[in-house]
Amino acid sequence: MPNLKAKLESEQRTEDILHSLKKLDYLSRSQLQQLHDLGQKRNANRVLQQCSEFLSSFRDIENIYYLNKEGRDRVGSSKIRKKTPQAKHFIMRNYIYIAFECPTDWKNEVKLGIKEKKIINKCDATFTRDNKRYIVEVDNMQKMSENKKKIEKYKVIAESGVYGSPAFIWITTTTYRQKQLSDLCADLDCQVFLLSDFY
């Protein structure tokens, strides 16, 4: 029954792609290629075309995909996503998710802090590896003064030991901003990546 086997595999692949979009909101074609082993660009486009009844997309250098109503219904997602310039923020964050091999405990938009000191930061994502907490921040269109305030709070949070000895991962858009963030994070266990490191 080779046709049935191929059909079941295709259905499972569609399901997996939709669940990735439920978890990560927006994914570029190349990110979907990596996550789901879709091979070359031509094959990836063919597979995504087969999923088209569940997906919407727009162009930003390459195609960016998100769930449409049918896709949300199929995987039980209540989050409505649309074409928006803010999608780049999600795409940048997802490069970190993929680079760190899709951590199983990855969570987006998490509040971290010390309640009694009224110090709270909402990080873009967090995960653990080898019992170490990683805190992910995306610097896309944020003012550097806002980043500075956030980093000062992170220093207090890190010193408190509430989250052990956390490591920080930033992703930004220019070498100038990379240097600024590296300097601001000098007292923290921190890596600052450029978006261009990932494509």
Side-chain angles (χ1 to χ4, degrees):
M1 304 280 284
N3 285 350
L4 179 60
K5 184 172 184 253
K7 190 170 190 302
L8 289 171
E9 284 173 357
S10 175
E11 283 289 309
Q12 186 58 56
R13 187 171 53 199
T14 297
E15 197 76 12
D16 293 344
I17 287 168
L18 299 184
H19 275 284
S20 288
L21 285 161
K22 178 182 178 180
K23 181 183 179 80
L24 299 169
D25 302 292
Y26 298 89
L27 284 160
S28 68
R29 188 255 311 142
S30 59
Q31 289 177 336
L32 284 162
Q33 266 176 280
Q34 287 179 273
L35 282 170
H36 297 286
D37 197 20
L38 300 183
Q40 296 300 313
K41 180 178 175 180
R42 188 172 173 181
N43 187 61
N45 287 336
R46 182 185 61 77
V47 169
L48 291 166
Q49 183 58 38
Q50 288 171 350
C51 303
S52 61
E53 68 178 291
F54 305 110
L55 304 178
S56 291
S57 67
F58 61 92
R59 190 112 183 123
D60 182 7
I61 301 173
E62 59 179 328
N63 279 355
I64 308 297
Y65 292 89
Y66 58 100
L67 296 175
N68 63 19
K69 184 180 185 308
E70 288 75 16
R72 292 195 305 273
D73 289 347
R74 175 152 171 178
V75 291
S77 174
S78 57
K79 280 186 292 183
I80 298 172
R81 295 297 180 197
K82 303 204 176 216
K83 178 181 177 181
T84 168
Q86 278 73 45
K88 185 177 179 183
H89 182 96
F90 294 85
I91 296 296
M92 288 172 71
R93 180 174 69 191
N94 295 341
Y95 277 117
I96 301 297
Y97 174 76
I98 294 165
F100 282 81
E101 299 170 341
C102 312
T104 53
D105 65 343
W106 176 280
K107 288 188 177 65
N108 294 328
E109 309 292 336
V110 177
K111 285 184 180 175
L112 302 171
I114 310 164
K115 279 186 185 167
E116 54 273 22
K117 290 191 178 180
K118 295 185 176 165
I119 293 175
I120 304 287
N121 270 344
K122 188 177 188 183
C123 68
D124 288 309
T126 183
F127 65 95
T128 55
R129 169 143 319 158
D130 299 327
N131 296 318
K132 191 176 188 72
R133 164 88 68 161
Y134 285 80
I135 296 166
V136 178
E137 286 290 347
V138 175
D139 171 51
N140 181 21
M141 294 186 286
Q142 183 87 292
K143 288 182 181 171
M144 197 53 72
S145 58
E146 291 300 312
N147 288 334
K148 186 177 180 182
K149 281 185 207 166
K150 200 166 212 185
I151 290 164
E152 289 307 315
K153 286 184 185 178
Y154 277 138
K155 286 179 181 176
V156 177
I157 291 167
E159 282 167 16
S160 75
V162 172
Y163 301 101
S165 302
F168 296 85
I169 300 165
W170 284 78
I171 179 168
T172 189
T173 51
T174 67
T175 51
Y176 177 69
R177 293 181 76 85
Q178 183 183 39
K179 181 169 189 326
Q180 284 182 299
L181 288 166
S182 295
D183 290 346
L184 289 169
C185 292
D187 300 329
L188 296 168
D189 177 358
C190 183
Q191 290 174 278
V192 184
F193 293 100
L194 281 172
L195 177 57
S196 59
D197 292 335
F198 300 99
Y199 62 81

